[in-house]
């Protein structure tokens, strides 16, 4: 069924003015902790994102050497992490001690986690029941040992996808649903788009981006109260891009409290050729307003 729905999505995209399949976004499989010498990285054997194929490595000398971390797979029931029910496994490391490895089991819609608080020496097991259509993790992030957010999505089809946003304040033991897809894009995450991304800067300031395969409207949401309320951020469409669409999610990167950048990939097909224009927006007021700064174009 999932392959069938995915096929419908690709077909729908090919029939639109955008005319190309969604761009593959590969997460950077590494993390650097607050301590300058401690680093983490991970990979999946054969690019198969299951717990059995996950390899976690830790460096204590700025990446000059790496040690593989043993994961407690044998202590988990096989059905909990079987690739029959699990679409992707997502690691996240906050610092040298605290890390989470998370996945959603589609057979029972349960969020499973293995968590370490001692740098990978020991792991504890956590699980939490999610709403029925929370089928895959799009993004997970912690900003303290206790506070974190989970962006979960349903399987996408026909350019649409249900999106759930959860918050935890106890390190992942329990989660509270704080936002969900709505027919009104200003009261919830929009159902349009099958690519999502999320980033938080501290416990208050967070951003969620959603792809838009049907128009050039940049779908970007912001919270300034830790996720309790969200507002859609206005990002201007550059002149001449009105007939493009956006097939990858974008969230801003800030270098300080005021200055940040946002890269948006605009797509369309023109006489059978795919056009890709990456527009870089900048802000100097913390993300309240954005202006297009530069663009890079690719034609195929």
């Amino acid at each position: 069924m999932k392959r069938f729905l995915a096929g419908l999505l690709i077909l729908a995209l090919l029939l639109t003015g955008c005319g190309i399949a969604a761009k593959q976004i590969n997460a950077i499989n590494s993390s650097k902790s607050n301590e300058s010498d401690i680093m983490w990285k991970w990979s999946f054997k054969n690019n198969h994102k299951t717990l059995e194929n996950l390899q976690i490595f830790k460096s204590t000398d700025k990446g000059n050497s790496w040690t593989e971390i043993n994961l407690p797979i044998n202590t988990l029931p096989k059905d909990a992490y079987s690739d029959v029910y699990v679409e992707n496994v997502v690691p996240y490391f906050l610092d040298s001690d605290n890390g989470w490895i998370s996945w959603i089991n589609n057979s029972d819609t349960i969020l499973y986690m293995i968590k370490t608080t001692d740098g990978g020496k020991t792991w504890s097991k956590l699980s939490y029941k999610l709403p029925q259509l929370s089928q895959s993790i799009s993004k997970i992030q912690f900003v303290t040992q206790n506070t974190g957010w989970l962006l979960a999505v349903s399987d996408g089809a026909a350019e649409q996808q249900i999106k759930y946003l959860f918050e935890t304040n106890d390190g992942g033991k329990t989660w509270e649903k704080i936002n969900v897809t709505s027919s009104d894009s200003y009261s919830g995450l929009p159902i349009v788009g099958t690519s999502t991304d999320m980033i938080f800067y501290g416990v208050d300031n967070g951003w969620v981006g959603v792809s838009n395969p049907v128009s050039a409207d940049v779908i970007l949401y912001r919270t300034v109260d830790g996720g309790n309320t969200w507002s859609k951020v206005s990002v201007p469409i550059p002149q001449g891009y009105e007939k493009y669409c956006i097939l990858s999610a974008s969230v801003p990167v800030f270098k300080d409290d005021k200055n940040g950048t946002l890269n948006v990939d605009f797509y369309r097909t023109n006489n059978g050729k795919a056009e890709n224009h990456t527009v870089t927006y900048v802000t100097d007021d913390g993300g309240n307003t954005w202006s297009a700064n530069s663009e890079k174009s690719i034609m195929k």
Side-chain angles (χ1 to χ4, degrees):
M1 177 61 71
K2 294 175 185 176
R3 292 180 180 177
F4 176 71
L5 291 174
L8 285 178
L9 172 62
I10 293 172
L11 178 60
L13 290 173
L14 290 173
L15 294 175
T16 67
C18 296
I20 59 174
K23 183 181 179 182
Q24 294 295 319
I25 304 297
N26 295 317
I28 299 175
N29 294 337
S30 64
S31 178
K32 187 172 183 180
S33 72
N34 294 330
E35 294 84 357
S36 59
D37 291 343
I38 306 296
M39 299 177 67
W40 298 88
K41 70 177 182 179
W42 56 90
S43 62
F44 292 90
K45 298 175 185 177
N46 302 317
N47 201 31
H48 196 192
K49 294 185 178 181
T50 65
L51 192 63
E52 291 175 303
N53 288 296
L54 175 61
Q55 297 174 299
I56 299 287
F57 302 91
K58 181 179 181 180
S59 173
T60 59
D61 57 8
K62 300 182 180 180
N64 292 316
S65 61
W66 296 89
T67 300
E68 186 169 1
I69 301 298
N70 293 322
L71 300 177
I73 295 179
N74 294 334
T75 65
L76 296 167
K78 175 67 176 179
D79 286 347
Y81 61 88
S82 169
D83 60 0
V84 176
Y85 307 119
V86 178
E87 294 187 8
N88 68 327
V89 175
V90 182
Y92 184 83
F93 290 91
L94 174 66
D95 51 36
S96 61
D97 292 323
N98 296 280
W100 297 258
I101 299 172
S102 312
W103 65 94
I104 296 175
N105 188 309
N106 287 326
S107 67
D108 48 20
T109 324
I110 290 180
L111 170 68
Y112 287 96
M113 289 183 165
I114 54 175
K115 174 184 176 181
T116 182
T117 58
D118 57 12
K121 295 176 183 178
T122 61
W123 297 81
S124 58
K125 299 182 289 292
L126 304 174
S127 62
Y128 189 77
K129 179 69 175 178
L130 296 177
Q132 183 177 3
L133 292 177
S134 303
Q135 295 166 316
S136 182
I137 297 174
S138 177
K139 197 67 177 288
I140 189 168
Q141 183 187 357
F142 284 81
V143 294
T144 71
Q145 286 180 265
N146 294 316
T147 302
W149 292 266
L150 169 72
L151 185 57
V153 295
S154 68
D155 286 331
E159 305 170 358
Q160 296 182 345
Q161 186 179 62
I162 296 175
K163 306 163 186 72
Y164 296 93
L165 187 61
F166 302 89
E167 181 182 10
T168 181
N169 287 298
D170 56 16
K173 295 178 182 178
T174 60
W175 295 81
E176 178 185 1
K177 184 172 65 178
I178 58 174
N179 208 316
V180 69
T181 291
S182 168
S183 58
D184 179 357
S185 62
Y186 287 86
S187 64
L189 300 175
I191 193 169
V192 68
T194 57
S195 170
T196 54
D197 200 1
M198 174 186 72
I199 192 168
F200 273 79
Y201 295 95
V203 297
D204 294 321
N205 186 19
W207 303 80
V208 169
V210 181
S211 62
N212 189 349
V214 297
S215 80
D217 180 31
V218 179
I219 303 176
L220 181 66
Y221 284 78
R222 180 187 186 185
T223 180
V224 294
D225 58 10
N228 292 314
T229 59
W230 292 80
S231 58
K232 190 172 185 291
V233 178
S234 177
V235 180
I237 301 172
Q239 186 176 0
Y241 284 75
E242 293 81 3
K243 295 183 178 181
Y244 284 73
C245 60
I246 305 168
L247 297 185
S248 60
S250 300
V251 289
V253 176
F254 284 89
K255 62 180 181 180
D256 54 41
D257 291 340
K258 297 294 184 181
N259 297 283
T261 59
L262 175 71
N263 292 323
V264 178
D265 292 333
F266 290 91
Y267 293 87
R268 76 168 182 176
T269 55
N270 186 13
N271 295 323
K273 293 183 178 180
E275 295 184 9
N276 167 215
H277 301 267
T278 300
V279 176
T280 299
Y281 293 88
V282 295
T283 181
D284 59 7
D285 59 9
N288 294 320
T289 59
W290 295 88
S291 60
N293 184 51
S294 64
E295 72 173 65
K296 178 181 179 182
S297 303
I298 299 175
M299 296 185 63
K300 296 182 179 179

